[in-house]
Every structure is written in C-alpha cells, then in structure tokens.
C-alpha cells in the first residue's frame, strides 16, 4: 500500500509539473499570438490612415522626381565648386564619396591622415554588409587585400562548443562575410574614390564648421602644408569617426563606454572552425577570434568598462592574458596565444556605444561612427554604415541641387526613419548579446547566458533565426525581440523541467525580468515606434 501511495504521489507531482509547464507555454503562445494580431492590426491601420506618417510632402517629391534607372538630373551649377563636402575618408566617408561621385555630384573629401592605418576594429564585414557593398558597386574593394571569407561562428562555453552558420543558401555564391585588415580595406576605397570623376580627395584637418544664420555653409580646414582654407558647399556630411570633433556642433550625443578591447595577432593559427568567427563566453566577458589574412588571426579580449585595463608597459597586461585569459580559450590555441603575447604587439582600443541622434541643422548631416555606434561584439558597424549610405544615396538622387538648405533638411528627415530596420536590429542585438554573453554573479543572468548558448546549439531555426539577424540578412527588429524572449522562455523551461519547485519558479521569474531589463532600455533608445512600425526605402521610392 505504501508503495502504491509513493507511486501515486510521484505521478501526481509529475502531472502537476507537466501541466504547470504546459500552462506557462500556452500562456506565452497565447499572449504572443494576441500581440502579433494587434501588431498586424495596428500596422494596417497606421498604413491606411497615415501612410505619410514621416512624409506628408516628401513622399510625393521622392516619387515624382525620381529619375529612371541609370539616369540622374545634371542641371547643377558648373562653376567647379563642390556640391558636397565630406569630412573624413574612413569606411563611411570613402564609400559615400564613390557613390555620390558616380551619381554626378561634385564632392570634396577632406581626410586628416591619408596613410594606411593599423586599427583593431572594423575588420569583419557581415554578409548583409557585403550585400550593401555590392549594391553600392564597391565589392571589388575586398579583393586584393588577402581578405578571408567567413561563413558563420563557433561558440565556446566551458568545455562545450557549437557551430552556427550564416543562412546563405538562397544568395549568390560570392556572398559571405569578409574579414580583413581594416587599413587595407579603407585604402582600397580611398583609391577608388580618388579615381572617381567629380571627387577630389584632400589631406587636411577640419577645424570647424562654417555657419550662417543657423545653416552650415561649409568648413574651415588646414592643409598638410599648414594653409588655412574656407571651403563652401550646399551640403556638408560629417563622417570623422568615433572620436568626432564636429558632431557636438550638430547633435547631442550620449556616448557610453561599455568596455575595451585588448588586441593581439596570432600568426599561422589554425582555428577550430576554419573560416568562422569564434566567440568564447569567458569570464568576465567574451573573447573574439577571426582570421584577417591567410596567415593572421585577430584575437580581441574584452575588458568590461568598470574593470581597470592592465598596463602594457609594466607587464601587467601580459600577465593578465597568461593567467586569466589563457586558461579560458580552447586548448589547441594555447601555444599560438602565448606566441601572440610574446610578440609584444598588444594594443588597446576603447569601445563606444551611442544611439543615433537626428541632425536638425540645415546644410549638414552626420554619418558613420560619428553618428551611431554599438558594441563591436557582433561586427555590425560597417553593415549599418553601408546601409545608411544606400538609403541616403537613393534619397539624394532625385534632387537637382542642394541649394535650399532648409528644404533639403526637411527632405532628409525621412532618412532617420528609413535607416531604422537595419540599424535598430543590429544595434539592439549588439547591446543585448554583449550583456547576455558577459559573466555575472547573478544566478538568473547566469541561467540566461547558458540558455542562449543552448538555444543556439539546437540548430535549425533556433540558430539560423538569430544569426540571420546578426549578419544583417534579416533586419527585422520585432523578430529580434521575439527570439530574445524565446531564449528567455527556453531558459525558464530548463529550470522547470522535470517539475517546477518554488525556488526554480522564482529563479525563472527573475530570468524573465533580467531579459526584459536588458532588451527594453535598448529598444527605447532606438525608438519604439520606429522598431514596431519599421519603414523601408523600397516601400517609398
């Protein structure tokens, strides 16, 4: 009888546990279905009642004045003065100069230093970014620089590892990620820009903007010979990078310092997953590795913003890398890692995050890292920059001239909405993944980190969905939010199986709370309305 009673109690517990789990899953599914129905309903209502939500007049101007494919209006002033001044010839500035020059615009590009730079970021271009590069006609800039093709990521946590691939099946065979020396890539684009008709590339330092009655008319700059010049143009585009000296004159940036990267080169290193980026979920924060040439692998060790960066000069850094970092990387890479430390070519770069702030000053616009930054964990910076250039180029094409600065500024206001699908997806994912992938003493955050690793390890849609977002191939902000909470629900399920306890249920609730506290502030910073109702440029032009 006692045995039968024990069996009955065990079965009853299992039943209660099972029904509890099913109840939670059903509630989540039902809630999500209601949200999806409401989202579709609101979107259709919004579209039918106010399809000009961003553009009561600009939509007509864009449609009515759009030239036929391959044609551009050329009735612009012919006095030789530039129509556009671009400050900075980095990734964004050089690419934009090429495109505007090919479209018949007279462009003056002013770059502080035209020599090849040795930078430790901007070395990985996601497949979505490569597609944008193709759309701009600049894909040849990754040729001849020993760039490496990248097909996905390897993830490492403790003794476990998994591989996730980019969903490239329905794309042209040359589409994949690319990793390279940033300096070589930029030099290729600068050369291409300098050879483009209508483009003049000059080395000089822009000291200030020229403003008249609240409108930017041009820039003051000093040439490398020391000559001070005032250059005028109807439109000035500031692309002078993450440490921009000019953006505070145009926008009110909120720059955050989430962490720093310690960088070194591993030579002739054989990565566990060839032609893949590698993400090691280490303590205190992730370690990245990816090839940047046929013989070199970049290693980036993240150090959180609240932690002191060890000194390179007195040997603290080398000791930190050998004692703290080395034990956490795959064993087959230990010797290459030690050799990279002993080579002595260790560098440190500060990572910055900055939500985009629209520029309201007529006659000027800000682009690239001067305009918008996110944690470089996901390598999405260049994808966002090229996507912005694609949008801006399409907006500018129909305009005969830029002389009416106020009208041009009103016209370009739509740019800030059109860029949101790609930018918001990549920005949100970068910020959320960095927080999830970083170690924490909070047990709920630890469970969320493990759930994310296990979720991606499931394969199928559980990996291709998030990776398509990360790669820029599926820029849908709400799909990102859905997958993020799917990871959280998966983590709760892990806690409640085989049957829930009060302690595990409470931990699951904290996990959901932590997930919400990570994702919602980022979504708010990106703009809730633009993320819920994203607008693509193809729907307008």
């Amino acid at each position: 009888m006692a045995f039968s009673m024990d069996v009955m109690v065990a079965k009853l517990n299992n039943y209660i546990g099972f029904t509890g789990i099913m109840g939670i899953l059903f509630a989540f599914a039902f809630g999500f279905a209601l949200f999806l129905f409401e989202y579709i309903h609101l979107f259709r209502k919004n579209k039918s009642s106010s399809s000009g939500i961003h553009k009561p007049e600009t939509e007509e101007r864009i449609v009515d004045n759009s030239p036929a494919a391959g044609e551009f209006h050329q009735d612009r002033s012919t006095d030789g003065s530039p129509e556009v001044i671009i400050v900075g010839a980095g990734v964004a500035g050089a690419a934009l100069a090429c495109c505007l020059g090919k479209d018949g615009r007279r462009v003056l590009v002013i770059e502080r230093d035209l020599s090849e730079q040795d930078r430790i970021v901007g070395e990985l271009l996601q497949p979505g970014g490569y597609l944008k590069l193709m759309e701009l006609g600049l894909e040849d800039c990754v040729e001849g620089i020993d760039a490496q093709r990248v097909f996905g990521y390897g993830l490492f946590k403790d003794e476990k590892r998994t591989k996730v691939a980019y969903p490239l099946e329905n794309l042209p065979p040359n589409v994949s990620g690319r990793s390279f020396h940033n300096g070589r890539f930029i030099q290729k684009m600068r050369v291409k820009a300098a050879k483009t008709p209508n483009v003049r590339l000059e080395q000089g330092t822009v000291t200030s903007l020229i403003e008249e009655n609240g409108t930017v008319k041009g820039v003051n700059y000093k040439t490398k010979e020391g000559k001070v010049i005032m250059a005028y143009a109807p439109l000035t585009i500031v692309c002078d990078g993450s440490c921009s000296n000019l953006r505070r004159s145009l926008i009110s940036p909120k720059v955050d310092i989430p962490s720093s990267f310690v960088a070194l080169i591993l030579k002739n290193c054989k990565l566990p997953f060839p032609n893949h980026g590698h993400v090691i979920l280490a303590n205190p924060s992730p370690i990245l590795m990816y090839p940047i040439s046929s013989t070199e692998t970049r290693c980036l060790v993240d150090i959180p913003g609240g932690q002191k960066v060890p000194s390179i000069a007195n040997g603290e850094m080398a000791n930190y890398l050998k004692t703290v970092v080395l034990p956490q990387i795959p064993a087959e890479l230990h010797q290459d890692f030690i050799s990279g430390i002993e080579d002595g070519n260790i560098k440190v770069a500060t990572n910055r995050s900055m939500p985009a702030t629209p520029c309201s000053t007529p006659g000027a616009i800000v682009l690239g890292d001067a305009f918008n930054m996110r944690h470089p964990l996901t390598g999405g910076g260049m994808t966002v920059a090229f996507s912005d250039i694609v949008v801006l180029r399409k907006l500018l094409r129909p305009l005969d001239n830029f002389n009416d600065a106020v009208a041009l500024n009103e016209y370009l206001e739509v740019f800030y909405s059109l860029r949101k699908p790609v930018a918001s997806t990549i920005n949100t994912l970068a910020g959320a993944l960095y927080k999830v992938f970083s170690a924490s003493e909070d047990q709920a955050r630890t469970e969320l980190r493990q759930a994310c690793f296990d979720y991606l390890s499931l394969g199928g849609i559980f990996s291709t969905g998030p990776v398509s977002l990360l790669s820029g191939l599926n820029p849908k902000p709400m799909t990102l939010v859905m997958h993020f909470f799917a990871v959280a629900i998966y983590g709760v399920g892990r806690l409640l199986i085989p049957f829930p306890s009060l302690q595990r249920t409470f931990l699951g609730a904290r996990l959901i709370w932590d997930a919400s506290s990570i994702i919602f502030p980022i979504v708010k910073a990106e703009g809730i309305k633009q993320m819920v109702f994203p607008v693509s440029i193809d729907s307008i032009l």
Side-chain angles (χ1 to χ4, degrees):
M1 183 67 179
F3 174 78
S4 299
M5 184 63 69
D6 290 339
V7 171
M8 290 178 63
V9 170
K11 288 184 176 180
L12 183 61
N13 284 337
N14 288 339
Y15 177 76
I16 293 172
F18 176 78
T19 53
I21 294 169
M22 294 304 296
I24 291 173
L25 293 178
F26 177 80
F28 175 78
F30 182 74
F32 179 74
L34 286 177
F35 167 78
L36 189 62
F37 175 82
E38 186 68 14
Y39 169 73
I40 294 172
H41 174 70
L42 287 173
F43 178 78
R44 288 177 175 174
K45 182 179 178 181
N46 177 274
K47 186 173 182 180
S48 61
S49 64
S50 57
S51 59
I53 191 167
H54 305 291
K55 44 187 182 340
E57 296 180 3
T58 54
E59 180 173 359
E60 292 186 6
R61 291 179 63 186
I62 293 172
V63 173
D64 292 345
N65 294 327
S66 293
E71 297 179 4
F72 310 107
H73 293 292
Q74 298 292 331
D75 54 333
R76 303 164 186 148
S77 61
T78 56
D79 59 359
S81 60
E83 296 172 275
V84 182
I85 294 174
I86 298 177
V87 182
V91 169
L96 184 62
C98 290
C99 298
L100 295 183
K102 286 190 290 186
D103 287 356
R105 307 288 183 182
R106 296 185 304 280
V107 182
L108 169 62
V109 187
I110 306 169
E111 165 58 37
R112 181 181 59 83
D113 187 355
L114 288 174
S115 63
E116 183 174 325
Q117 303 297 301
D118 184 13
R119 302 184 65 212
I120 66 173
V121 292
E123 297 175 319
L124 177 62
L125 178 63
Q126 297 286 3
Y130 183 79
L131 284 174
K132 296 298 181 182
L133 202 66
M134 292 176 61
E135 192 171 347
L136 296 172
L138 300 174
E139 67 273 19
D140 58 331
C141 290
V142 300
E143 305 298 331
I145 58 174
D146 199 16
Q148 303 298 296
R149 300 190 70 180
V150 179
F151 298 103
Y153 283 89
L155 298 178
F156 300 79
K157 186 178 185 299
D158 302 325
E159 299 300 322
K160 296 181 180 180
R161 60 182 67 184
T162 188
K163 182 171 67 172
V164 294
Y166 293 136
L168 304 174
E169 295 78 10
N170 300 320
L171 298 173
N174 63 318
V175 176
S176 67
R178 294 292 196 283
S179 52
F180 39 68
H181 281 272
N182 174 269
R184 297 176 186 175
F185 177 58
I186 290 178
Q187 289 302 101
K188 287 277 288 190
M189 287 202 294
R190 287 174 176 174
V191 169
K192 194 176 184 71
K195 293 181 178 179
T196 302
N198 309 307
V199 175
R200 179 160 62 94
L201 186 59
E202 185 169 339
Q203 182 164 314
T205 301
V206 175
T207 55
S208 63
L209 301 173
I210 300 173
E211 290 192 43
E212 295 179 9
N213 300 320
T215 298
V216 174
K217 298 292 187 178
V219 300
N220 294 302
Y221 74 99
K222 183 182 296 185
T223 68
K224 61 180 179 180
E225 293 83 15
K227 185 178 179 181
V228 177
I229 295 178
M230 300 176 68
Y232 291 89
L235 179 61
T236 298
I237 304 178
V238 175
C239 306
D240 56 345
S242 60
C243 299
S244 172
N245 294 320
L246 299 178
R247 65 171 164 234
R248 290 190 179 277
S249 301
L250 300 170
I251 59 177
S252 300
K254 297 179 181 179
V255 181
D256 183 35
I257 309 293
S259 68
S260 297
F261 270 157
V262 178
L264 56 157
I265 293 286
L266 312 185
K267 295 181 179 178
N268 299 309
C269 172
K270 293 185 178 180
L271 291 170
F273 301 115
N275 296 103
H276 282 67
H278 291 58
V279 182
I280 302 165
L281 305 190
N283 189 349
S285 50
I287 301 167
L288 307 180
M289 292 186 183
Y290 48 87
I292 57 173
S293 75
S294 55
T295 60
E296 298 165 299
T297 294
R298 172 67 74 195
C299 177
L300 297 173
V301 178
D302 186 87
I303 297 181
Q307 181 175 321
K308 179 184 176 183
V309 178
S311 170
I312 297 176
N314 63 13
E316 286 181 0
M317 180 64 76
N319 181 63
Y320 175 83
L321 294 174
K322 289 180 180 179
T323 58
V324 177
V325 178
L326 179 64
Q328 301 189 72
I329 68 174
E332 60 263 47
L333 299 176
H334 281 193
Q335 189 54 54
D336 294 317
F337 189 76
I338 292 173
S339 297
I341 297 171
E342 293 176 347
D343 282 346
N345 188 23
I346 302 174
K347 297 184 177 181
V348 176
T350 301
N351 296 324
R352 293 176 172 84
S353 177
M354 185 183 75
T357 303
C359 174
S360 59
T361 304
I365 193 170
V366 189
L367 280 184
D369 282 350
F371 173 55
N372 185 202
M373 293 180 282
R374 76 291 309 150
H375 194 283
L377 172 68
T378 58
M382 289 187 288
T383 301
V384 173
F386 293 142
S387 176
D388 285 353
I389 291 170
V390 167
V391 172
L392 183 62
R393 182 191 194 187
K394 288 182 178 180
L395 283 174
L396 294 179
R397 271 182 170 178
L399 298 181
D400 292 337
N401 64 72
F402 305 149
N403 290 319
D404 188 341
V406 175
L408 176 63
N409 192 60
E410 293 176 353
Y411 181 85
L412 289 178
E413 284 181 357
V414 73
F415 165 76
Y416 301 108
S417 294
L418 294 176
R419 69 180 297 272
K420 277 292 179 180
V422 175
S424 294
T425 300
I426 292 175
N427 292 345
T428 304
L429 185 60
L433 269 187
Y434 177 69
K435 292 183 178 180
V436 171
F437 280 177
S438 296
S440 174
E441 296 181 358
D442 182 356
Q443 188 178 358
R445 187 67 64 86
T446 300
E447 289 290 341
L448 182 59
R449 188 190 199 204
Q450 184 66 52
C452 187
F453 179 85
D454 291 345
Y455 184 88
L456 293 171
S457 300
L458 293 173
I461 191 175
F462 304 104
S463 64
T464 57
V467 173
S468 67
L469 294 163
L470 180 150
S471 63
L473 296 173
N474 181 30
K476 297 180 180 178
M478 294 311 298
T479 302
L480 165 60
V481 175
M482 184 189 72
H483 273 288
F484 190 81
F485 279 104
V487 170
I489 294 297
Y490 176 77
V492 173
R494 290 174 66 254
L495 290 170
L496 299 183
I497 294 174
F499 58 87
S501 67
L502 183 61
Q503 182 181 3
R504 285 176 170 267
T505 302
F506 179 68
L507 184 58
R510 286 180 52 212
L511 191 153
I512 296 293
W513 176 262
D514 277 2
S516 301
S517 66
I518 288 173
I519 194 74
F520 286 135
I522 302 173
V523 170
K524 182 180 179 182
E526 289 296 318
I528 296 175
K529 182 177 72 174
Q530 292 88 342
M531 290 188 71
V532 175
F533 301 108
V535 181
S536 70
I537 191 166
D538 294 328
S539 68
I540 293 180
L541 296 182

